[in-house]
Every structure is written in structure tokens, then in C-alpha cells.
Amino acid sequence: MNFTLLINEGPYQHQASDTAYQFAKAALEKGHEIYRVFFYNDGVNNATRLAIPPQDDRNITENWAALAKEHELDMVVCIAAAQRRGMLDADEAGRQGKDADNIHPAFRISGLGQLVEGGIQADRLLTFGD
Amino acid sequence: MNFTLLINEGPYQHQASDTAYQFAKAALEKGHEIYRVFFYNDGVNNATRLAIPPQDDRNITENWAALAKEHELDMVVCIAAAQRRGMLDADEAGRQGKDADNIHPAFRISGLGQLVEGGIQADRLLTFGD
Amino acid sequence: MAKLHIVNKSPFERNSLKSCLGKSKEGSTILLIEDAVVGALKGTVVADDLSSAIANKNVCVLGSDLNTRGFTEAEILDGIKIVDYAGFVDLVAEHSNVQSWL
Amino acid sequence: MAKLHIVNKSPFERNSLKSCLGKSKEGSTILLIEDAVVGALKGTVVADDLSSAIANKNVCVLGSDLNTRGFTEAEILDGIKIVDYAGFVDLVAEHSNVQSWL
Amino acid sequence: MSEGIKKFMFMNTKAPYGTVYALESLEVVLISAAFDQDVSLAFCDDGVFQITDNQKTDGSGMKNFSAAYKALGDYDINKIYVEKESLEERGLTMDNLMKLTYEDEDDDWAEKTSMYLVTRAELADLIDEQDVTISS
Amino acid sequence: MSEGIKKFMFMNTKAPYGTVYALESLEVVLISAAFDQDVSLAFCDDGVFQITDNQKTDGSGMKNFSAAYKALGDYDINKIYVEKESLEERGLTMDNLMKLTYEDEDDDWAEKTSMYLVTRAELADLIDEQDVTISS
């Protein structure tokens, strides 16, 4: 079976991203597939490559990146939500005339259609939010 | 009379930063002073200089920056909360070996002591959160 | 000197207004802002709680947040005062401390 | 095929469990995760609501979130089943749709 | 369900403006129209405040997005369910809400309502029929 | 109030782990100890869950910060108020909570409790005495 996961809250402030990560790991361990992980609302903030959490705490972005690498996960950040909140990749920063970018290479930026398509293609869509 | 404002939520996701901004503007118009605006929790995300909100929407960071310039506001971002969430200035990025930074020059990074001191020095401390 | 209590969440969704009403003293002021303004409407399931509060506390609502949500003075409970941001500032100045019930 | 309903907020703070109980059908499953796990405790003001739900729905709680908050199986209502993340995954697979009550 | 068509329900349970969920959920709804699925919207709990009439944001500086709900009919999204008990608990009736309509192409483009007042039990039945439920 | 000393109360009303507020509020509390103010903590509503005993986060992967509450005594923060009604509504008693103590330097470093069980009305009185209330 395959799942699309929708994550609507940023890292640390809410448990949503942690729960989604633990769920994804357990699903993959049981042999299921993750069709897509879609980051929306403040969820886009999970994609920053600039975070430096305390050494005795988890690094949520790196956890996702490692899981994605191991299982070739498609991790999509909503472009509109990301622009509103200052999350940019190098292409976007160039196009918008911004002098820096901050998105981790494990994530890709795309439109909301990717969420709807994820709901159509996957057997189940799960929302993790506040 | 002077006020310290504590902002605990990021821009757009919650109204907290908008309300604090409208309050600050009204207080200054009435002749009060803002001793400090302290950004904590996800509130640190208000300090990004990379946001590109839709053209028909407010730009929360630029609103704060303009108000700060006009009234010489002291806008402080908590360093620990900012590091956890990937908000860095150029100094921090250099020290931490990160390849980019994203904090708007209208804000400065400092420690939590600045919040407690703000509570001691100001006549009133107000919290804006979720 | 009396205290100002601020509530910003809908009483239909959260317990923060109830918590505030239970832990604020007679003579204090309660200001409803953001999503909490709908607590001031007539005919709701929390109207009785608000009416009890009005009897011995000053209850205010931020007018611009009320308008933002599609409501006006005509639709709120008698005894609740509408303030603008300047009035919000005055309330903070006139009370000796402010507690936000988040 | 029955539906899975997920609640993640404390029923003492938010109305989402109540909303879920009112809009989920008999035979469906309700899973409490994150801050909602405290709704499964014995002797609380929402215990009667949960007990009614247990009568005609399957109520589960995520064990690791319960332990995180300092509680174990001994402290939750009879009839509520504890699942781990693997069990959470099974619940999602066994039901035809999942609704998160945010 | 019909071949390749899924029933999508957008559950709107939160008040607008205090948080961004209503606005950003509406953006998903509008995009979903392009995918030819069976889309409906439910407004319950504080979600009913999303579609109150006469929203005026000048004083708060928030972005007024309420007009976008009126465009739903143009996107062929015309199944909008409002929970009766949620209105009553909040002292509201359908008269407090915007009139959301669509033009029926099978009936000489007559303007018809998109809004259905449903009881909590009826909404529970509708939720139970969905293939995908996106909530906020 | 004493010259230059303010009464600071940290109001803890939210459950831990589901949101970060409890953890980041505790960081402010620890910093505040350096400023020689009159600091107290209140735990009410879901805030009482912040100081439950036996928190074990291995399964959830969350950072377990509960031990830091036990360090409050070392920072001379020893006025911790717990609301009785909040415990009762949640089926809890003081036995469910960690034992937070301090060593009294005026009494030969005897270990004493920092925790005071107060009624809602008593907590309202305490709140009313504060100069600064930081809530989360």
C-alpha cells in the first residue's frame, strides 16, 4: 500500500513533523511505500538547511533527509507557502532577486497540484497538523 | 509609558505578529515608547529577509522593519530559538559553518536575558502568541 | 491596581476564555482579540458565561477583529465595550499588568 | 469499509475530540496521538465521553506518546487499546480513509 | 466510486484570520478543481466563521480573502455543506453567511445555491463516504 | 514591591511535547534566575502535564526535558504553584507529579518542597499580585 503524507506545521514548535516522520519510518519498515511527503502551511519550514538544533536534541530536517535518501522519498515543499515564509531554493532566489536561499537539497519546490495528485495516486492521504 | 512586546508565533500562520504590529503602531502614535520587541518560539521566523508574500498581501517583516526604522525600535531575535529553526545572521552562519544566512538587518540576534531585562525595564510586558 | 486579561482564541474551540474567567478577579478587565471576538456574539452557547463576567468585570472586544470576521456592534452582547487599537493601548496603560491567556 | 479518525489535541484544551466523537460513525476507529493521549486517562472530566465512545467504536491510543507524557497502560480506561507506530500504520491500512481532526 | 474519480472532502473546522489555515486550504480547493475529482467542502465547528458575510479587514490589516469563496461556483465546486448545530451553538443562521451559488449548465445556466444545511448526523454520513479528507 | 525587584510569574497552561512552549518557557525561567527577581511558576490547565513523573520519550523521539524542572531548586526558584482543580479535572493528584525541592540555605541546607497545591481562587489572587506575567 502507498501513502501520501501532508505536514502542516514547522519543526519543533509542534509535534506534527515528528509524528509524520515516525509514521513514515514505521510504514517503510513494514514494506509500505510513501508516494509523497508534501509540506504545506508552516510545514515548509521543515525544509531549511540552516537549522542548528541543540546537540542533545533531534535534527528534524536531517532525519527527513536521511530517510528520503534511504528510500528515495519525494519530498515536496509548496512554492506559494514557501515564498510567503522565506523558504527559497537557489533557482527561486535567483528569479526573485533574493541574495540567499535556504532549502535543503533533499526537498524540491513545486505547486499545490502535487498535493492533490498525491491524494489521487496514493491509497491513503494523512494530514499531520496542529 | 514604555512597553516590551513578546512575539511567539511566526508570520502569516497566526495573527499574533499582526496584532503586535498594530498595537506597537498605535502605542507609538499615542506617544508611548517601545522598549523592545522580542521574538521567541516560532516568532523568530518574522525576521527573515527572504519572504516574498503575494503582491495583494501585507509583508509582515517589511512592516516591522519600516516601523523600527521610523522609531528606532530594538527588535531582538532569540538566538537559541533562531538556531533551532534555521534563522541565522551572517556572523552566526560564519561561526556555524553554514553557507547562507537569512535575517533581515532590522533585527538583531541576542540571548533570552534580553527578554527578562525587557520585562524588568519596561512598564508593561505583553505576550502575543497562539 | 486592576489587571488586564487578554484572550485571543475562540471559546468554541479552546478553553482559554473559561480559564481566564476562572482566574481573573472582580474589577479586572478582559479584552477579546483575534479569534476570541466571536465569544462576544449574542445567542451563543457561551453567552451566559460572558453575561456573568460582565456583571463584575469589564469586558471589551477589539472592534477591527470583530469587523474582520463579519460582525459589528449590533451583534454583540449588551455590556461589552468595543475598543480600537488606541483603546487597546489605553487599557494596557491603565492596568498594572497584562496577562495573555494563550 | 470503516474510517479511521485521528485526534491529536488534549480534550481539556480543545474541542476536537468532542467534534470527532460527534461526527464519526459506529464501528469506526478513533486513534489518540500527541497531546490527545491524556484523554484516555481514568477519572477525568471527559472519561464518560470516552466510555460512551468505547461502547460502539474502537478507541486506540499511541503508546509512545502516552509514555512520553509519563503514563502507562495501567492509567488508561479499560477498553482502550494501546498501539505502537507499526500498529498506527496497520490502522491506516485497514481503514478506507483517514480523517485528522485538527 | 467511479473509475479514477475520488471523493475529496475539505473539512473546514477553524476560524479565519486568527490562523492561516482557512486561507491556505482555500488555495488547495481551487487547485483541486483542475483534477476532475468529486470535490465537496464542509464547514463545521469554527469553520462556519470562514464564510460569514460582510468581512471587513481594513482595521486589522489582514488580507481579506472572503471573495474567493464566491468564485467556487465558477470552478464547478458546488457542494458546500454547513453544519446546522455548529451555526446554532454560535448564535448564527444561514442569513449570517455569504450566498454561494453556481450556474447550472444543464439548466440553461440558471443560478442555483451551492450551500446545503446539514445536521451533524448527516455530515457524519457524508464524511463516511469520502475517499480523501483534507482537514485544517 | 521591593526597590527594583519585580514579581515575575511564568504561567504554564499547555501540555508538553505536542508543542514546544513548555520547553522553551523553561529556558526563559532558568535565565530569569540570573536577574535576582521574585520569580514563581504556576502550573494550571494542561500545564500540569509538564511536571508529571516518569516521562519516557524513547518511543516518540522527542527530547526529554523533564529533568530540567528538578534543577529549578538549584537556581533558587522554589515557588511552584499547582492548581488543584486542574489536577482533579484530569484525574491526577500530586502523586502523579515530580517532587520538586530546594535546599534551604537558612535552615542548614535542609531539603524542602518547592511545590504548593493551590485552589483556583488562590491562584487568581497570586496572578493578581504579579508585575510581569509571561504565559505560554
Side-chain angles (χ1 to χ4, degrees), chain D residues 8 53 57 61 64-65 81-82 96:
Chain D
N8 74 336
K57 295 167 191 170
V61 61
S64 53
D65 277 339
K81 189 183 158 195
I82 294 188
S96 63

Side-chain angles (χ1 to χ4, degrees), chain D residues 3 19 23 25 97 99-100, chain E residues 45 83 125 128 133 135:
Chain D
K3 308 291 172 179
S19 185
K23 286 186 268 285
K25 307 274 290 180
N97 183 21
Q99 157 127 18
S100 295
Chain E
D45 301 329
E83 194 195 83
D125 287 337
D128 208 55
T133 313
S135 38

